[in-house]
Amino acid sequence: MSAATTRSRTPRTPAPDRLCVEAVELARAAAEEAAHPGVVGEHVSAVSEGDRVVTHFFECKEPGYRGWRWAVTVARASRAKNVTLDETVLLPGDDALLAPEWVPWSERLRPGDMGPGDLLPTDADDLRLEQGWTGEDAPPPNSVVSAEMAQLVEAEDADVTDRVVVPARGSITSVAEELGMRRARVLSRYGLHTAADRWDESFGAKTPMAQAAPASCVSCGFLVAIGGSLGQAFGVCANEFSPADGRLVSLSYGCGGHSEAAVMPKPPRPAPPVLDSMATDEFPLRPAADTGSVPVADLPAADLGHS
């Protein structure tokens, strides 16, 4: 490859137009018009954008826009002596203070962000959910449940209606509603595992509280068992003095409030006293006349209530 071919493929950088480079005051006036006086700072540089097109950069003194620059592009027509304004914009520099990258709300949402009245929609293909009740009322021909329910209807002479609100007895819909499983979607295995990992991170065996606990929650009397597959690994703490009170805790979690950690002994019952120190003895303020220890003449006169 010859040097001439190499030079032909190299993009040509146009030389800055002299009149456009000298139009600093025109560019400053445009920047101050877009912002307001006092915000546009010193002239930083001028960059050639093309033939007779130059961009002037000015410092931005607006609070909160550290490192930003006002960019004013000016241009000049061919064989014209007047420089005209092309564009004015505020651009970030290399060390500019930028806002964080935009993240969709579904990824920004964190546990505890929802408040009263907030609605959190779920995607149709949410990995945490799977198909639950499908709405099919016709059970398979060999369904034992269907046969038993049909016999029950005949025995009780139940009134089967065609309304959609009340499912027909002997159908899968009625059984699902009775068992509390009439839901469009239920937790998938992935949803169960992610929930278990999240709960175990907050109240699991690896937490500092569990590491210092005398025993785990599986043997605590304050643990309330839950149903389902998660009941094999989690429960609800009912100890009001525990940091996990009312929370779903792992069976391997523990704290100092374990029911068997420190059983308080009954207070000892003291023996009856040898001397009764609780009773009171009566002492008269004046000696009695029939005791003989004081002459009758020396006794004070009776208090008649007057002088």
Side-chain angles (χ1 to χ4, degrees):
M1 183 180 294
S2 63
T5 306
T6 305
R7 286 196 299 269
S8 63
R9 292 185 179 182
T10 304
R12 184 178 63 88
T13 302
D17 185 78
R18 181 179 60 83
L19 295 179
C20 291
V21 172
E22 294 176 354
V24 177
E25 297 302 325
L26 175 64
R28 179 182 294 276
E32 292 180 351
E33 182 179 359
H36 55 81
V39 174
V40 181
E42 299 294 332
H43 183 265
V44 178
S45 62
V47 178
S48 177
E49 304 288 353
D51 293 336
R52 297 178 300 277
V53 180
V54 174
T55 299
H56 294 271
F57 291 95
F58 299 89
E59 293 180 353
C60 179
K61 296 184 178 181
E62 183 75 24
Y65 285 84
R66 186 192 66 192
W68 288 66
R69 300 178 300 176
W70 285 101
V72 182
T73 303
V74 296
R76 182 176 64 87
S78 177
R79 299 182 180 180
K81 296 183 179 180
N82 296 329
V83 179
T84 58
L85 180 65
D86 189 8
E87 184 182 16
T88 302
V89 66
L90 183 63
L91 297 178
D94 296 336
D95 58 343
L97 182 63
L98 301 177
E101 185 179 356
W102 183 83
V103 180
W105 69 267
S106 58
E107 300 179 14
R108 295 197 310 267
L109 192 64
R110 292 293 179 268
D113 291 347
M114 293 184 61
D118 294 340
L119 297 178
L120 179 60
T122 56
D123 296 334
D125 55 350
D126 196 324
L127 295 177
R128 300 171 299 174
L129 302 172
E130 65 181 3
Q131 193 69 29
W133 178 70
T134 61
E136 295 292 336
D137 286 340
N142 58 348
S143 174
V144 179
V145 177
S146 177
E148 291 180 353
M149 288 299 175
Q151 295 176 3
L152 183 61
V153 170
E154 295 177 0
E156 297 182 357
D157 194 16
D159 184 13
V160 181
T161 62
D162 296 334
R163 292 180 300 174
V164 179
V165 179
V166 181
R169 298 190 64 178
S171 62
I172 293 181
T173 306
S174 61
V175 177
E177 182 174 310
E178 183 177 356
L179 297 179
M181 298 185 299
R182 192 178 179 182
R183 294 176 290 173
R185 292 188 293 176
V186 295
L187 273 176
S188 63
R189 184 174 297 273
Y190 173 77
L192 288 172
H193 287 179
T194 54
D197 293 341
R198 187 171 61 253
W199 297 337
D200 188 75
E201 184 178 355
S202 301
F203 296 98
K206 297 182 180 180
T207 59
M209 181 67 71
Q211 294 291 335
S216 59
C217 294
V218 68
S219 60
C220 182
F222 293 106
L223 183 74
V224 179
I226 62 174
S229 59
L230 290 177
Q232 302 176 7
F234 294 93
V236 179
C237 178
N239 188 352
E240 61 177 326
F241 300 106
S242 172
D245 180 36
R247 304 291 187 89
L248 201 66
V249 297
S250 172
L251 298 183
S252 58
Y253 180 74
C255 68
H258 195 280
S259 61
E260 309 303 324
V263 180
M264 296 294 293
K266 295 183 179 180
R269 186 176 180 179
V274 179
L275 298 177
D276 189 1
S277 59
M278 302 299 295
T280 57
D281 297 330
E282 297 182 1
F283 295 94
L285 298 178
R286 297 173 180 175
D290 56 351
T291 58
S293 59
V294 180
V296 178
D298 295 340
L299 293 176
D303 188 4
L304 300 179
H306 57 82
S307 57

